[in-house]
Amino acid sequence: MRKTIAFVLAILLIPVIPSVQAESNLLDVGVIDSVDGRFVHTSFSSSSTLITLTSTGNLSEHFWGSGELITQWSIELNISANSATPDSTGLQIAVSHTDGVYVINTELRVVSAIYNTSSSVDYVVWDTEGELWLGFFGGERKAKEFDGVDFTGYATPSHNTAMTAMTIISDNRIVTGGRDNLVKVTTQEGVLERSLSDFSQYPSVIINDGSGNIIVGCTNGDLFRYDFNDWSMEELAISSSQTINSITIADNGKILVGTQNGNLHIIDDVTFTEDEEYTSAGRVMTATFGSEGQLYIITTFSTSSKIRLYDLDSDSDGVSDSLDLFPLDSTEYSDQDGDGYGDNPDGTNPDTFPEDVSQWADVDGDGFGDNPDGNSSDDFPTNPSQWKDTDGDGYGDNSNEEMGDRFPLEPTQWADTDSDGFGDEVDGYNGDHCPEQNGFSEIDRKGCKDSDGDGYSDPTDDWTIGDGADFSIYDKSQWIDSDGDGYGDNLSGNDADTCPNTAGNSTNTYIPEISDDGTLSLIYVVREKFGCIDSDGDGFYDLGDDLPNDGRDYIDTDGDEVGKSRDYNDSNRLVQTEVDHCAQVSTDETEMCLGIRSVDYQTYLSGLSNTDDALSYYQWQLSEQEAEEEEASSKQYWSTAAEILPFLGAGFASIVAVLLIYAAIGKSRRRRSLVKTYGLAFANDDNSAETEALEGKAGLSAVGGVDSGKFWDDDVDPMEVADDGDLIGGGFDDIDLKGSEEMTETTEIMEETASLEELAGMPTQSKVTEENIPDIESTTEPASQEAPEAPPVPAEGLPDGWTMDQWKWYGAEWLAKQK
C-alpha cells in the first residue's frame, strides 16, 4: 500500500521535483511515511530497528523496512524530553528531561530507574563502566558523573557561556562544546586534558565516529575532524552554510551531515570532502542508505516527523526504479491492469483503460470500451453522451444528457420534471400526483408539498383534509383530526386527542392515581387530556372535573358544590366559609374566630367603606380599650384642674389645664402608636426576640426570649413583717405618716421637685410611666391571671426563638399578624 502511495506521489511530484546536483542519480520521491510528534532522538540499533524519542516523552522501537516504520512497542513517559542515549549493549536507554533522567530497559520495555535533579538535564552519555554523565547546558554549563545513587563529585570544567554539545571517547574522557567557541576534553576524574579553539562559531554537535575521531559540527556549517590520539585536525565548510543539527556515520563509512533547515550533505570519509547535497524540509535528525543505494532522510517538525526517499531512476523518466514497471522505457512506467499496455496514453502501446484488463480502446471517446466482450461495453457506441440502458426503456442511463433516463432502473418512469424523485408517469411506479410542483409526500398523495415532512400532503383546492390531506401542516406528529376539534388522532403525537371521535376543547383532567410511595393510596393529580368535552370552559374534561358546570373550579373534595378555591375547608361539607368554621369549631380561639363571634367587632367592620383598611380583631380591641382609657384620663385631668382652680388665679389655671390636656393627648398618641406597632402600649428599645415576636418576625435577627420581669425596677430588699403585723424596713420607718389634714395657709416653702398637685395643695397622684402601663388583660383582670390556652401550633412548628410558654401568651397575636 505504501508503495502505491509513493508511486502516486512520484507522479504528482514529477513537475515540481527539486533538482539535485548533476552528479546525483537519486530522485526525490517525497515523503513516504510520517509519525506524530517532534523527534529529539533517532538511532539505529540494527539495520532493521530504529529507536525514536519525541519531545513529549514517547519512546518507541520501530521495524525499519525500506523507509516504512512499523512500531514494535512504545512507552509514554509524559515528560519534556531533551535527548536519549543507548548504552553499549542496546538493552538500556537513558532519557534526559527537564526534571532528571529515566533509564528504560528495552528488553522488558519498562522504566528501570528514575533519577531526579534540581535542574534540567539536556544531554546524557554512558561511560564504559556503566556510569552516567549528565550534561547541564544552562546553569552549571558542564557535565557531571552520576553513579545511579548520587553525583560522584567528578565533573567537567564549566564553559564561560552555555554548554551546547557533548560525547564520550576512549578512556571515558568527556568532550564538551559551548557557546564560548571551545571544545574541552576532560578526564574521567574531571581534569581538563585539552581545549580546542579552532571554531569561529560555537559547536552544535559532537560525535565519536567509532574510528578514533571526534567530529565537530558548528552553527555556521563548519565541520572539523580530530584524531583524538594525536589531535590532528581536518576541516571543511558544508555548501549550505547552515547550522549542523546531526552527524551520522553510514554503513559504507560516509559521513551524513544534517542541518536545521532540511539539507543533507554527504561527506567522503577518506578525503573529508563534500560529495553531494540533498534538500528536504524540517530539521534533519539522521539519514541512512537502502540496500540498493536509495537514500532515506528523517526530518522532524514541531508536531510531526517524516521520512523522505531519494530513489534510483535508471531510464531518467522521473520515476524511481522501485516504482517504474518499465525501468528501461522512458515513455512508460506503469501498467496498473497488467494487460501489457502502458498507462501513459502518449507512450508506447498506450492503454485507454489502464485499470481494466478487458478494455483498451474507445472510439467515441465516451469512456466505455469498444470490446463488446469486455467490461462496461458501450450500448451506444456512436453516441458519446450515452452508453448504457439498464432498464431497457430506450433512454440512456446518463440522466443529464440527451435522451437521458431519470430512473435508469425503472422501466415505467424516465422523466421527473419537478426533480422530486417521483416520475411524471402517474400510472407508473411512484407516479407523481403533482408533477410540476416539487414535493415529497408519500401517503395520501405522492410528490406533493409536505411542509412538516410527515408523509401527508398539504391540502389544496382540489385535495382537501376530507380527501386525506394533512390537517396540521406544521406538526410532523399529527396529520388526521377525525372529529375536527383541532387535536390530532395520533396518540403518540403532540396534543393528542384522547377523545378522537368526539369534538371537545379540554386540555386537562383531574383524576385519581395510585401513589408511588408504597402505600397504595389514591391521590388526585392533573394530567393532560386534549380534545374531550369541557362544558364550563375551564380546560378540564367534564368527567375529570368535580364541577363540570362551574368554570371557576375543578376540585370539590367535600362535594358541597363549592370549589376548593372558594371553600374555607374543602374537606368538610358543613364548612364553606370562615363563619361556618368558627360556628362548627367552638374550641377555635384564634383571632379570626374571636372577631367573627364579636358582635361589636362585626358592627365596626360593617361601618367601613373599605375593609382592606380594617384593624384586626386584636388591634380593634386595643384601640377600644385605648379610647376608654383616654376618656377616663381626660376626665381625671379635668377633675384635677377643677380642684386646683380655687387656689390659683384664672390665668394660671387655664395654662395648667392646657398643659394637662396637651400631655394627655401626647400620651394617648404615643400609646396608640405603640399598640399599632407592637400590639401593646409599651416598646422595648432592644432588638430582642420579644420585639420581633410582636412584629411577626421572631428569630430573624433578635437574641434572647421574652423576659417576664424586664419591666420591673432594680431589685430591692424584701420587706419583713413584725410580730404585730407592721412592716420592718419598708422604707417609711423614719417618716411620721399623717392622716388627711386640711392644708393651712401658713405653708410657704415647697420643694423644687414638688408637683403641680402639691403646689395646688391637692393630694399627689401616682406617676404613670411606660414601665407600669398594664397590659390588656390587667385592665380587666387581676394580676394573678392564668396563662391562656395555647392556640394551635403551625404545621412547621413554633417560630424560631419561641418557647411554648411564649406561644401561650403571644401565639394568637402572632398568627393574626401572619394572617
Side-chain angles (χ1 to χ4, degrees):
M1 180 64 184
R2 292 181 182 271
K3 286 188 176 182
T4 301
I5 296 173
F7 168 77
V8 174
L9 285 172
I11 295 175
L12 295 175
L13 292 171
I14 288 175
V16 293
I17 291 175
S19 60
V20 297
Q21 292 185 353
E23 63 271 18
S24 173
N25 65 338
L26 295 179
L27 176 68
D28 185 0
V29 174
V31 174
I32 60 173
D33 205 351
S34 180
V35 180
D36 291 338
R38 178 174 66 85
F39 287 161
V40 296
H41 171 80
T42 57
S43 63
F44 284 91
S45 59
S46 68
S47 60
S48 61
T49 304
L50 177 67
I51 301 294
T52 64
L53 174 68
T54 68
S55 60
T56 58
N58 177 281
L59 181 68
S60 300
E61 181 180 277
H62 311 273
F63 172 77
W64 175 267
S66 299
E68 185 176 0
L69 293 183
I70 301 175
T71 302
Q72 303 298 302
W73 55 264
S74 293
I75 298 177
E76 291 290 349
L77 300 176
N78 297 316
I79 57 174
S80 294
N82 294 322
S83 69
T85 305
D87 69 357
S88 59
T89 67
L91 298 179
Q92 295 188 99
I93 297 178
V95 176
S96 67
H97 58 93
T98 54
D99 296 314
V101 175
Y102 281 179
V103 177
I104 291 83
N105 186 308
T106 59
E107 187 175 29
L108 300 178
R109 302 167 188 173
V110 297
V111 177
S112 59
I114 299 176
Y115 306 130
N116 294 321
T117 60
S118 60
S119 56
S120 176
V121 178
D122 298 287
Y123 206 85
V124 59
V125 296
W126 300 85
D127 65 16
T128 59
E129 297 174 358
E131 307 292 351
L132 293 172
W133 283 82
L134 310 187
F136 299 91
F137 286 4
E140 297 182 77
R141 308 182 304 283
K142 60 185 177 182
K144 299 166 64 176
E145 186 182 42
F146 188 85
D147 63 4
V149 177
D150 203 352
F151 290 105
T152 62
Y154 295 129
T156 66
S158 296
H159 285 265
N160 295 331
T161 54
M163 194 171 86
T164 57
M166 64 181 291
T167 190
I168 190 166
I169 60 176
S170 60
D171 299 326
N172 289 331
R173 289 175 289 176
I174 306 301
V175 181
T176 62
R179 285 181 178 268
D180 52 6
N181 296 350
L182 295 177
V183 170
K184 298 182 178 183
V185 182
T186 307
T187 67
Q188 187 178 17
E189 291 75 23
V191 177
L192 180 64
E193 179 180 286
R194 182 177 299 273
S195 182
L196 307 176
S197 59
D198 303 307
F199 320 104
S200 60
Q201 295 289 328
Y202 67 85
S204 53
V205 181
I206 303 175
I207 72 162
N208 181 343
D209 69 358
S211 300
N213 305 295
I214 61 169
I215 301 177
V216 180
C218 299
T219 56
N220 62 348
D222 288 348
L223 192 69
F224 298 83
R225 181 166 64 177
Y226 293 90
D227 183 329
F228 51 72
N229 292 313
D230 59 11
W231 295 105
S232 59
M233 183 264 289
E234 302 170 87
E235 65 176 307
L236 67 88
I238 59 176
S239 58
S240 66
S241 300
Q242 296 175 355
T243 297
I244 296 175
N245 185 70
S246 65
I247 301 174
T248 305
I249 306 301
D251 292 340
N252 61 6
K254 297 289 186 178
I255 303 171
L256 310 181
V257 178
T259 71
Q260 282 193 341
N261 296 323
N263 286 62
L264 180 74
H265 301 268
I266 309 298
I267 309 300
D268 185 280
D269 59 311
V270 177
T271 62
F272 203 63
T273 57
E274 182 174 334
D275 289 341
E276 299 175 23
E277 176 186 358
Y278 299 93
T279 302
S280 59
R283 178 179 296 181
V284 178
M285 298 299 297
T286 189
T288 185
F289 287 105
S291 59
E292 297 180 0
Q294 62 270 44
L295 175 65
Y296 300 93
I297 303 175
I298 300 178
T299 58
T300 191
F301 302 82
S302 59
T303 59
S304 64
S305 299
K306 304 180 186 301
I307 300 175
R308 179 178 291 273
L309 170 63
Y310 280 84
D311 200 0
L312 298 173
D313 180 16
S314 300
D315 58 9
S316 300
D317 60 0
V319 179
S320 62
D321 289 359
S322 61
L323 302 176
D324 196 339
L325 297 180
F326 303 90
L328 302 178
D329 182 354
S330 61
T331 68
E332 296 289 354
Y333 43 84
S334 65
D335 178 17
Q336 297 183 52
D337 56 12
D339 59 3
Y341 294 86
D343 296 340
N344 182 9
D346 299 324
T348 305
N349 295 323
D351 191 343
T352 305
F353 302 93
E355 297 180 358
D356 186 351
V357 68
S358 68
Q359 296 287 358
W360 49 86
D362 178 17
V363 173
D364 61 7
D366 60 3
F368 287 82
D370 297 342
N371 181 10
D373 298 325
N375 299 325
S376 301
S377 59
D378 198 338
D379 289 343
F380 304 88
T382 60
N383 183 354
S385 65
Q386 297 292 345
W387 48 87
K388 202 71 175 173
D389 179 17
T390 301
D391 58 11
D393 59 5
Y395 292 86
D397 293 354
N398 192 356
S399 301
N400 297 322
E401 297 296 337
E402 182 181 0
M403 295 297 292
D405 192 341
R406 295 297 300 275
F407 304 93
L409 302 179
E410 175 50 53
T412 66
Q413 297 287 359
W414 50 84
D416 181 13
T417 302
D418 56 10
S419 299
D420 58 5
F422 296 93
D424 292 352
E425 299 299 315
V426 69
D427 295 328
Y429 178 75
N430 276 344
D432 197 335
H433 291 84
C434 302
E436 296 182 356
Q437 180 187 43
N438 182 280
F440 302 97
S441 65
E442 295 182 348
I443 300 176
D444 60 319
R445 294 186 292 173
K446 296 184 185 300
C448 297
K449 185 177 181 181
D450 177 13
S451 297
D452 56 11
D454 59 4
Y456 287 82
S457 65
D458 295 357
T460 57
D461 292 340
D462 59 350
W463 188 262
T464 65
I465 294 174
D467 297 320
D470 195 342
F471 92 97
S472 180
I473 65 173
Y474 298 115
D475 185 350
K476 188 175 183 177
S477 69
Q478 296 291 357
W479 47 85
I480 297 176
D481 176 18
S482 298
D483 54 14
D485 59 4
Y487 296 100
D489 294 356
N490 182 14
L491 293 178
S492 61
N494 298 325
D495 297 346
D497 195 336
T498 50
C499 299
N501 298 318
T502 303
N505 61 341
S506 70
T507 58
N508 294 296
T509 185
Y510 183 60
I511 58 175
E513 290 185 357
I514 297 177
S515 66
D516 57 1
D517 59 2
T519 63
L520 300 181
S521 58
L522 285 179
I523 58 174
Y524 279 79
V525 296
V526 175
R527 297 289 186 231
E528 288 185 343
K529 193 175 186 70
F530 296 98
C532 295
I533 295 176
D534 173 23
S535 300
D536 56 11
D538 62 357
F540 283 81
Y541 172 43
D542 282 1
L543 297 182
D545 188 341
D546 290 347
L547 301 169
N549 296 312
D550 186 347
R552 294 172 295 179
D553 267 305
Y554 60 91
I555 300 176
D556 180 18
T557 306
D558 56 12
D560 60 1
E561 298 300 324
V562 177
K564 183 175 181 178
S565 68
R566 295 171 293 113
D567 196 332
Y568 180 78
N569 186 348
D570 201 35
S571 62
N572 188 341
R573 293 175 61 89
L574 299 177
V575 177
Q576 297 177 356
T577 65
E578 292 91 339
V579 174
D580 294 342
H581 168 76
C582 294
Q584 290 288 326
V585 186
S586 59
T587 58
D588 190 340
E589 294 294 328
T590 62
E591 182 181 18
M592 177 188 74
C593 285
L594 291 175
I596 288 174
R597 295 173 188 141
S598 172
V599 176
D600 292 340
Y601 181 63
Q602 294 302 318
T603 301
Y604 155 73
L605 292 178
S606 63
L608 297 176
S609 60
N610 184 3
T611 57
D612 292 339
D613 297 329
L615 297 174
S616 68
Y617 174 66
Y618 287 151
Q619 290 174 334
W620 172 80
Q621 268 192 328
L622 292 174
S623 67
E624 289 296 304
Q625 292 175 8
E626 172 63 21
E628 292 175 0
E629 291 177 3
E630 183 178 342
E631 182 179 357
S633 177
S634 297
K635 290 180 180 180
Q636 178 64 40
Y637 282 125
W638 283 114
S639 175
T640 300
E643 291 177 2
I644 67 174
L645 186 60
F647 301 96
L648 302 172
F652 184 73
S654 298
I655 294 173
V656 171
V658 170
L659 292 175
L660 291 174
I661 292 171
Y662 181 77
I665 293 172
K667 175 182 177 184
S668 175
R669 288 180 176 174
R670 173 170 173 76
R671 288 169 59 85
R672 285 185 179 179
S673 175
L674 294 173
V675 168
K676 183 175 181 180
T677 303
Y678 300 103
L680 294 173
F682 59 87
N684 180 21
D685 293 336
D686 296 330
N687 190 25
S688 65
E690 176 186 45
T691 302
E692 293 194 354
L694 294 176
E695 295 177 352
K697 54 182 181 180
L700 295 179
S701 61
V703 296
V706 178
D707 184 359
S708 60
K710 65 176 288 184
F711 298 109
W712 294 96
D713 292 330
D714 295 338
D715 294 339
V716 298
D717 295 333
M719 291 184 290
E720 302 178 3
V721 181
D723 295 338
D724 57 1
D726 293 337
L727 295 175
I728 301 175
F732 300 99
D733 295 343
D734 59 342
I735 299 177
D736 184 13
L737 298 177
K738 297 181 180 181
S740 58
E741 297 180 2
E742 294 183 358
M743 186 174 292
T744 63
E745 296 180 356
T746 59
T747 303
E748 297 178 355
I749 302 174
M750 305 294 289
E751 295 289 339
E752 285 185 335
T753 58
S755 66
L756 290 176
E757 289 85 355
E758 292 173 332
L759 291 172
M762 299 182 68
T764 302
Q765 298 184 9
S766 61
K767 183 178 180 181
V768 179
T769 65
E770 290 185 0
E771 286 76 4
N772 59 22
I773 293 176
D775 57 17
I776 296 172
E777 291 78 7
S778 68
T779 62
T780 57
E781 297 179 10
S784 61
Q785 178 182 358
E786 297 181 356
E789 181 179 352
V793 177
E796 63 272 16
L798 290 174
D800 292 341
W802 284 63
T803 65
M804 196 62 200
D805 186 56
Q806 295 169 359
W807 184 253
K808 288 179 180 180
W809 288 97
Y810 301 105
E813 185 172 349
W814 184 89
L815 290 171
K817 288 183 178 292
Q818 299 302 315
K819 297 183 180 179

